[in-house]
Amino acid sequence: MALRTAGSVLVVFLWSVTVVLGQYGWSVTYTTQSICTLKGSTVEMSCSYTYPSGHKVTTTFWFTKKYAVENYVNLRNDPDYKGRVMYHSDKMNGHTLTITDLRESDSATYMFRFITDQTRGKYFGSPGVTLSVTDLQVKVTTTWWSTTLTCSTTCTLTGNPTYTWYRNSKIVQEDSSPSYTVQFKTEDSFYCAVKGINSPAVSFEGHSYFHVTYTQQRICTLKGTSVDISCSYTYPSGHTVSETNWYTNGKLEEASQILSPGYGRRVEYLGNMQSDSILRITDLREEDSAEYKFRFRTDQTTWEPTFPGTTLTVTGSQVEVTPKWSSEYKTLSCSTTCTLTDNPIYIWYKNGQHLDESTSPQYKDPVSSNYEDSYSCTVKGHEDLHSPAVCVQGQSCNRVTYTKRRICVLKGSTVDISCTYVGYYYATSSFWFRSDKSTPEDLTTDPGYAGRVEYTGTYRGPFTLRITDLREEDSAEYRFTFKANNIEWGHSFPGTTLSVTGLQVKVTPAAEGQKTLTCITTCTLTDNPTYIWYKNGQQLDEPTSQQHSSNMLVVWDSTVDIYSCAVEGHEALHSPVVCFQVEVTPKHYSKYKTLTCSTTCILTGNPTYTWYKNGQIETVKTSTYSVYPDAVDSYSCAVKGHEDLHSPAVCVQGQSCNRVNYNKMRTCVLKGSTVDISCTVGYYYITSTFWFRSDKSTPEDLTRDPGYAGRVKYTGTYEGPFTLRITDLREEDSAEYRFTFKTDNFDWGHSFPGTTLSVTGLQVKVTPAAEGQKTLTCITTCTLTDNPTYIWYKNGQNVQGRL
């Protein structure tokens, strides 16, 4: 009733029988004529060959069939064997065929063929090697005094194998005999194995038993991707599952690693916990390659299988060039350390330009020996995980190598995206661009990045794009291009994907009287950051749990304590202390909806909540609000007295309702500087938009306000953020700024809170310090946004270090 599970690879080596066939100096000598081996294993078939003098062999391959006279199908090109065939030849005219992950359909006669440079110089050896592929089955023979189990196959396995018998996953016999005699218990299960290849389990008829069935024996996938490792499991009736675990590296109580959900933020458990389980690992690394096993506990026992689990191999991709020596034409293969699961499609690039797609890891045509050309490959759907570009001839061809494929950093911080590039000819120009633009546009000329982009670096050294004051809309793939006298590096070559995220505190129940706080982000932050936790605004210096410096913190439940988090080195970019969110029930379409204004901690003082409908104050009441919404309606909430800390607007029916979400609730900047205040908008069709100050008696378009003449500019489209830019800031510009829009039948409400701007100057405050010393503090009337760096001057000269 169970599927077979994976184990170590069974490889069959045969050197005993010699079969020589040939005439007039042509011959093929096979090592053996027949092989019987197991499904899921690996087999090797070998031969040697001879040919008359004066000939030079140009082509060698194995085949099982031909479609017409002289039209033999090379196994490497046969879709039934895709990714499972390897050839190996030696200088003594020996040739070996290796087939991995054998299937019953691979049962056939295999023959070797070679072709020389002479007319009619073709030969193959007949009758070849007959391969039979079988699986293991347990046959049950019962007498009145005992039961005999036989590990059965459809052919006699080659190589006198040892049969291993398992009872309830524990080894009970290892013998050359395929039979085992036993007395059944109703809850027992039995299965046999040959070098890690298992049969399905059997049990006493009509009774359930302990067993784990892994969905896949082996998985091969790319570094940087995600994988699901799954299993199903059974247990006797009367048991209740109480705990499940995935683990690696041997027995659980020894040097194993338990993969707890949330471990390293890359592991997640899925499944129903009663009969199946899925281990999901994201952002895979080569060191994740291991054998993964599943264990579960019931209210009566602990079940830990000893048989093999699922073997995961994580690989990168490389372009392999053959032949290695100098040749006018080269063959390219997209090489991995294992055969990728799920029959991927390979994408090829020449000089950074998309070239071809194929189900074969080998590029379809031989490539010429142009010294300036480079090639790289990737798997479709994972273009950001491409191989390094390879020079087919020489080492100074055109190529770009990105330092990192993916980067995740905090909103408001600074990021460096780097690459190295080499041109066969001297580069005449270069720039960075976003891949989602219809045509490549130099970021230094993009208004959305004005004042926030800088290039550093030189030819052959790291060339770096620095973006400051990062925004979530900066999330994109960034690519580098350069021009030389006769080439422009192709714009379709994958670059570095940047994800910009904020911090939020997620609260989940833990043990009785406790809660687990998790500092969450929308992507996994790069460089394994250290997290800092704050309690009631004060940094926690002493650990309160074993996970103190991680993104998780276990705390005692409290109605008065408030927590927030930050990342070390970016303390000014901490999470919101209170994160409001509108929860809508029921989730499915319904005419009647209940809205709940939820927070990540319990607010004290029985606050009153303000509710907004389509940006207009609708009611002031408790945290729960019942409505009959239209499809165009959006709702948001805030606590009375803290309206600038409102929740995002939520579409109650559908996803295309009218709403405005501001990128920042507060911003503090210097007098005389420039500020961008942005929002994103959801709507049907807009007829007009403008920004205004909320302290005006009636909303007035800022572009018509004499006090802002020549200092205000609007940018943005329906696809991106709408931005208000104010230049030459003055202290009297301090105010709350709101955005409004009109449609044919709708006017976004003017009472919805916007972004509060504070404009400040700088002052030096002098206070006594130690005897003969003073402390100078550069003060502002508000905390400047974006964690600025301060510069000190003494007598008009820039002071480096202490005064």
Side-chain angles (χ1 to χ4, degrees), residues 304-323:
E304 181 190 341
T306 57
F307 51 79
T310 295
T311 299
L312 171 68
T313 306
V314 182
T315 179
S317 58
Q318 298 286 336
V319 174
E320 186 177 288
V321 183
T322 54

Side-chain angles (χ1 to χ4, degrees), residues 44-55:
E44 289 188 353
M45 290 174 264
S46 298
C47 72
S48 61
Y49 57 96
T50 63
Y51 50 90
S53 60
H55 289 252

Side-chain angles (χ1 to χ4, degrees), residues 11 93 147 187 226 250 252 259 413 494 514 520 586 614 623 638 724 764:
V11 183
N93 291 346
T147 297
E187 70 272 18
S226 298
L252 193 65
L259 300 170
S413 65
Q514 292 183 327
I520 61 172
N614 298 325
S623 62
L724 161 66
V764 175

Side-chain angles (χ1 to χ4, degrees), residues 63-185:
F63 68 95
T64 62
K65 54 193 173 188
K66 58 182 180 179
Y67 293 131
V69 177
E70 294 295 303
N71 187 9
Y72 301 90
V73 181
N74 186 337
L75 279 184
R76 270 185 170 173
N77 301 327
D78 190 328
D80 292 339
Y81 293 83
K82 179 181 177 299
R84 299 189 296 124
V85 167
M86 290 178 288
Y87 292 162
H88 176 73
S89 57
D90 59 35
K91 294 181 180 179
M92 302 300 294
N93 291 346
H95 203 283
T96 300
L97 162 66
T98 302
I99 309 175
T100 60
D101 189 20
L102 283 168
R103 306 162 186 174
E104 292 184 54
S105 58
D106 294 335
S107 298
T109 298
Y110 294 80
M111 287 178 275
F112 177 76
R113 179 172 174 81
F114 62 95
I115 301 172
T116 73
D117 58 352
Q118 302 294 319
T119 303
R120 302 175 64 84
K122 302 176 182 180
Y123 190 80
F124 70 86
S126 180
V129 179
T130 300
L131 173 67
S132 301
V133 181
T134 181
D135 61 359
L136 295 174
Q137 296 290 335
V138 176
K139 285 188 175 180
V140 183
T141 305
T142 303
T143 67
W144 66 272
W145 64 86
S146 67
T147 297
T148 299
L149 309 178
T150 304
C151 203
S152 173
T153 54
T154 57
C155 58
T156 303
L157 292 175
T158 306
N160 299 317
T162 296
Y163 294 86
T164 303
W165 281 95
Y166 292 83
R167 179 175 191 160
N168 296 331
S169 89
K170 308 296 183 184
I171 295 175
V172 291
Q173 177 178 295
E174 291 184 276
D175 198 271
S176 58
S177 170
S179 297
Y180 174 59
T181 301
V182 64
Q183 287 185 333
F184 265 109
K185 290 183 179 179

Side-chain angles (χ1 to χ4, degrees), residues 191-207:
Y191 65 93
C192 63
V194 175
K195 291 191 176 181
I197 306 297
N198 300 339
S199 73
V202 297
S203 68
F204 192 79
E205 186 175 358
H207 290 272

